[in-house]
Amino acid sequence: PDKYGKLGDQAFTKMDKVSSDLLALTYGSLVSQLLRDIEDVDGVNAQLEKMGYNIGLRIVDEFLAKGGVGACQDFRETAG
């Protein structure tokens, strides 16, 4: 892997892990509760997409904070 891949692997090994069973049960409970509250599949999907986007932002922020990645000097570095 490239240097950013290695940084990502290092950040991943430092993070606490969660059981996949716990994650599946928690996510299933969340979706069930959203369906009961919103009662519209499209509304639930929109809410899940918004939540996923926000989670993604937090993951990226945490990676940038802990990964020691500096600012890009030019656009070519983003394709790295």
Side-chain angles (χ1 to χ4, degrees), residues 5-80:
K6 289 178 185 174
L7 285 172
D9 290 342
Q10 289 173 354
F12 180 75
T13 57
K14 291 179 187 176
M15 296 183 68
D16 295 331
K17 306 300 184 283
V18 176
S19 162
S20 61
D21 293 334
L22 176 63
L23 182 64
L25 288 171
T26 304
Y27 184 74
S29 297
L30 173 70
V31 173
S32 295
Q33 187 63 50
L34 285 173
L35 283 167
R36 282 192 291 274
D37 292 347
I38 298 175
E39 298 179 355
D40 173 48
V41 174
D42 292 332
V44 170
N45 285 335
Q47 184 65 30
L48 289 171
E49 184 176 349
K50 193 184 316 181
M51 292 169 66
Y53 176 80
N54 289 331
I55 290 169
L57 286 178
R58 292 183 71 180
I59 289 171
V60 169
D61 285 343
E62 187 166 342
F63 171 74
L64 293 175
K66 292 182 178 178
V69 179
C72 295
Q73 300 302 315
D74 60 36
F75 192 69
R76 276 181 260 159
E77 288 183 14
T78 62

